[in-house]
Amino acid sequence: MYEKREVTARVEKQESLTEDVRELILETELADDAMPGQFVNLFCGDGARLLPRPISVCDTFMGRMKLVYRVVGAGTAELAALRPGDTVRMVGNLGNGYDPRTAFGKNVLVVGGGLGIPPMYYLSRLLHALGMRGGAEAPASLTMVLGYRDQASTFLHRAFTGFGKVVFASDDGTIGYRGTVLDAIRAEEISCDVIYACGPLPMLRGLASFAEEQRETEKDIKCYVSLEERMACGIGTCLGCVVKTKHEDAHSRVRNARICTEGPVFDSAEIAW
Ligand SMILES: Cc1cc2nc3c(=O)[nH]c(=O)nc-3n(C[C@H](O)[C@H](O)[C@H](O)COP(=O)(O)OP(=O)(O)OC[C@H]3O[C@@H](n4cnc5c(N)ncnc54)[C@H](O)[C@@H]3O)c2cc1C
Ligand code: FES
């Protein structure tokens, strides 16, 4: 495991995927050891915004890291202004990420909602590569369910094709099933042994209940969720990102976990939803 480190990345490319979603390609050594589900903390150049902005790793290739983000405030607007050749300071790779070993030999369901979709691209690509290699590490099957607001807000949706079965859901039905990702999973009667998910909290909560339901009636489904809630320091010191857990931490004696260091990926059965 590599240590987290602060680096200066060079912007290779930036383009718009939708009206407010951008794809940023950075040349950085962090690309060499980033795992799906991990994130980087990007520092804004403006001294008024000292807290770094966490963005998940969407992909890595040949010393490049792809980030996909929505412009929602001043920090991401500043990122959107970066041009090829500019540099950006960042710390990575942060967080635990998804453990691909939990997918070995399993029927895998990957679920992404909105801006939770970028990290699921990297995970799906890795799981597909394991499948192509074959042997005991190959997942038995890979299904991906992606949820969007509507057709106009889609991004990365074509990129998943070829990794396995892809199912879409949208609020207004303009792409895929009309409704939530959970509505699509039920309509398609998708059967799985393990779920990996990232997206809005209500979606993650719904998937955690779905897995719980399955455990009560049928089989032992595992569900791993990435909690991309607001963060401050991003390195475990401010306690600004704690989530309530069901079990007491043996060391600190509290039922809390820091999303930035113990997460952002958690076994959904460990979270006190
Ligand atoms: C581990 C992690 C990974 C993330 N990965 C991505 C990613 O891959 N792509 C992406 O677009 N975003 C991602 N985010 C969210 C991203 O960090 C925020 O959108 C960003 O920090 C906002 O900065 P800002 O200065 O532009 O907006 P701010 O001015 O800080 O906030 C603008 C608005 O966005 C809301 N907001 C800020 N942060 C969050 C958040 N984490 N969740 C929900 N609402 C928020 C604020 O409440 C406010 O209404 C991730 C967050 C975490 C914690
Ligand atoms: S953001 Fe500071 S402890 Fe997690």
Side-chain angles (χ1 to χ4, degrees), residues 8-9 69 73 76 79-80 94 109 179-180 186 188 220 232 242 268 273:
T8 300
Y69 64 94
T76 44
L79 288 181
L94 301 171
L109 173 59
T180 65
R186 291 192 197 278
E188 288 276 322
D220 190 20
V242 291
S268 69
W273 297 96

Side-chain angles (χ1 to χ4, degrees), residues 1-39:
M1 192 74 171
Y2 292 82
E3 286 297 310
K4 69 168 183 283
R5 53 216 187 269
E6 184 171 331
V7 301
T8 300
R10 198 186 71 86
V11 175
E12 182 173 272
K13 199 168 132 193
Q14 165 126 259
E15 60 185 21
S16 299
L17 301 185
T18 70
E19 201 183 324
D20 56 0
V21 176
R22 305 281 184 273
E23 177 181 286
L24 180 65
I25 309 286
L26 297 171
E27 207 183 303
T28 169
E29 61 173 84
L30 294 181
D32 300 340
D33 56 294
M35 291 300 292
Q38 287 194 297
F39 62 98

Side-chain angles (χ1 to χ4, degrees), residues 1-272:
M1 192 74 171
Y2 292 82
E3 286 297 310
K4 69 168 183 283
R5 53 216 187 269
E6 184 171 331
V7 301
T8 300
R10 198 186 71 86
V11 175
E12 182 173 272
K13 199 168 132 193
Q14 165 126 259
E15 60 185 21
S16 299
L17 301 185
T18 70
E19 201 183 324
D20 56 0
V21 176
R22 305 281 184 273
E23 177 181 286
L24 180 65
I25 309 286
L26 297 171
E27 207 183 303
T28 169
E29 61 173 84
L30 294 181
D32 300 340
D33 56 294
M35 291 300 292
Q38 287 194 297
F39 62 98
V40 291
N41 256 338
L42 296 122
F43 290 91
C44 303
D46 183 339
R49 291 184 292 279
L50 286 176
L51 291 175
R53 279 7 188 208
I55 303 288
S56 293
V57 179
C58 173
D59 201 9
T60 64
F61 51 95
M62 297 185 298
R64 311 290 194 275
M65 180 177 280
K66 186 199 283 191
L67 307 177
V68 170
Y69 64 94
R70 173 167 289 146
V71 182
V72 293
T76 44
E78 202 173 298
L79 288 181
L82 292 171
R83 296 286 169 262
D86 287 349
T87 56
V88 59
R89 216 158 47 87
M90 62 189 206
V91 175
N93 295 300
L94 301 171
N96 54 356
Y98 296 94
D99 183 347
R101 290 171 300 185
T102 51
F104 292 177
K106 299 286 196 310
N107 292 300
V108 175
L109 173 59
V110 169
V111 186
L115 265 300
I117 290 172
M120 306 326 273
Y121 171 77
Y122 191 17
L123 178 67
S124 301
R125 187 170 73 71
L126 186 99
L127 295 176
H128 175 250
L130 286 176
M132 294 302 282
R133 226 190 286 160
E137 296 185 355
S141 68
L142 176 58
T143 307
M144 291 142 286
V145 179
L146 309 177
Y148 296 93
R149 206 169 45 224
D150 52 28
Q151 173 79 49
S153 66
T154 53
F155 56 90
L156 292 176
H157 55 301
R158 291 193 194 91
F160 287 78
T161 315
F163 294 157
K165 178 175 169 170
V166 190
V167 177
F168 297 110
S170 55
D171 296 350
D172 63 358
T174 47
I175 175 164
Y177 284 94
R178 181 187 182 134
T180 65
V181 290
L182 208 50
D183 294 331
I185 291 166
R186 291 192 197 278
E188 288 276 322
E189 297 180 358
I190 297 169
S191 169
C192 60
D193 308 307
V194 58
I195 302 172
Y196 302 109
C198 186
L201 210 52
M203 180 194 106
L204 300 180
R205 200 179 284 124
L207 287 166
S209 316
F210 173 74
E212 190 65 48
E213 226 175 81
Q214 303 282 309
R215 279 195 285 271
E216 279 163 15
T217 58
E218 209 184 322
K219 55 180 181 181
D220 190 20
I221 291 189
K222 295 296 277 185
C223 178
Y224 298 97
V225 295
S226 179
L227 302 176
E228 296 194 342
E229 289 303 293
R230 264 189 96 83
M231 282 182 187
C233 73
I235 51 167
T237 52
C238 74
L239 302 182
C241 66
V242 291
V243 59
K244 291 243 168 292
T245 54
K246 285 187 187 155
H247 301 111
E248 199 173 87
D249 179 82
H251 176 65
S252 60
R253 318 292 296 170
V254 292
R255 290 180 192 209
N256 277 342
R258 289 163 302 176
I259 294 175
C260 66
T261 43
E262 279 96 48
V265 178
F266 293 92
D267 181 336
S268 69
E270 292 294 319
I271 304 294

